[in-house]
Amino acid sequence: MTPDRCVRTGGPPVTKSTGAIRVDRTGALVRITIDRPEAGNALTLAMYRALADALAEADADPGVRVVVLTGAGEDFCSGSDLDDLAADQGTALGLRSPLAEFHKAVLRSDTVLVAAVDGAAAGSAATALLHFDLVYATRRSHLKYPFVAQGLAPDGAGTLLLPQRLGPQRAAQLLLLGERVSAAQAARLGLVTEVVEDREHLHTRVAEQLTTLLAAPAAALGATRALLRPADREAVLQMAAEGATSARLFASVARGGRA
């Protein structure tokens, strides 16, 4: 049982697929699925572009009130496909790259964003979740920020938001050491809204919460969400600094230097 089938959203269902990104629209609900399970749902630049476009399209439609992001298979998303990024070093990490456009689309969305996480949420997927309104995860799930071990700087304004939420030392533990954070730990740290037992319970719980969200007065829902969200200027500037740093590190590796 999936969220878009459990909730009365109004309107006929519509499905679109762009590569490994599937978008299901039913009335006021848009469900985006990362659908590359054979690779742990690792994101290529084309997939980042498709995600950014899907989020922007949903945000531009006044009839859409909630977007749910989930992953097919055993993992939510294992982060970026580094081979794909390496094949396009010139633009892969710039401020206008598909990766950056995805993070900016998440950051600037005026639509309620809900994540349904089962399995690994690593790298760019983990930093993107910092901008979601509600994050539900199964007990077996975990977060991981492996950027330093990969020779990169964190992205998604993670170097701004994690210290703000957790304090500098705990943020350093996650970002410098890349330690795995269990779903239960993530909930205690405030990085996950709620932990449920398994995938079936995840779908059920998300569907329950979607029912509440979609039944709320649209104006009050949007206004309250806007009040909860800080201004994005500082986060965008931090994303730019992170991207420039990763681009420099990537270039150093390409020249045979030390990341």
Side-chain angles (χ1 to χ4, degrees):
M1 185 165 59
T2 55
D4 50 331
R5 293 174 187 164
C6 301
V7 183
R8 293 182 181 179
T9 55
V14 177
T15 299
K16 294 192 300 183
S17 182
T18 304
I21 302 300
R22 189 172 73 250
V23 181
D24 297 288
R25 164 80 185 271
T26 308
L29 175 66
V30 169
R31 184 166 183 259
I32 302 174
T33 303
I34 306 170
D35 194 9
R36 195 190 178 202
E38 72 281 1
N41 289 326
L43 295 167
T44 64
L45 291 175
M47 291 168 69
Y48 277 121
R49 169 56 63 196
L51 283 171
D53 289 346
L55 287 166
E57 182 178 339
D59 205 43
D61 188 336
V64 175
R65 298 171 63 184
V66 181
V67 171
V68 177
L69 179 65
T70 191
E74 294 299 309
D75 289 308
F76 174 73
C77 177
S78 57
S80 297
D81 184 323
L82 296 182
D83 290 336
D84 186 70
L85 265 62
D88 192 9
Q89 285 188 30
T91 60
L93 298 168
L95 190 56
R96 290 185 172 83
S97 72
L99 190 160
E101 291 301 321
F102 162 66
H103 278 298
K104 286 188 287 185
V106 172
L107 173 65
R108 292 172 172 170
S109 176
D110 291 326
T111 308
V112 175
L113 299 178
V114 178
V117 177
D118 185 34
S124 294
T127 52
L129 292 180
L130 295 170
H131 302 280
F132 273 64
D133 300 293
L134 299 165
V135 178
Y136 297 91
T138 58
R139 192 170 301 282
R140 75 180 192 90
S141 301
H142 69 271
L143 306 180
K144 191 175 178 65
Y145 308 89
F147 300 96
V148 170
Q150 295 170 343
L152 299 171
D155 61 17
T159 53
L160 172 70
L161 298 179
L162 282 172
Q164 286 179 346
R165 292 192 187 186
L166 309 180
Q169 291 180 331
R170 184 57 64 87
Q173 181 182 18
L174 299 186
L175 295 177
L176 297 181
L177 301 177
E179 293 186 353
R180 175 188 287 211
V181 184
S182 70
Q185 290 173 317
R188 289 195 294 269
L189 292 172
L191 302 175
V192 164
T193 306
E194 186 178 330
V195 179
V196 299
E197 191 60 35
D198 53 29
R199 196 176 187 94
E200 182 178 354
H201 287 90
L202 177 67
H203 291 154
T204 300
R205 183 57 174 154
V206 170
E208 291 172 351
Q209 303 300 66
L210 291 176
T211 298
T212 300
L213 290 170
L214 293 167
L221 186 70
T224 301
R225 183 183 187 273
L227 290 168
L228 286 168
R229 307 275 289 190
D232 64 12
R233 177 174 172 77
E234 188 178 7
V236 170
L237 291 175
Q238 192 75 359
M239 286 181 187
E242 291 168 343
T245 302
S246 282
R248 174 176 56 79
L249 292 170
F250 233 40
S252 174
V253 172
R255 293 194 300 268
R258 183 179 177 182

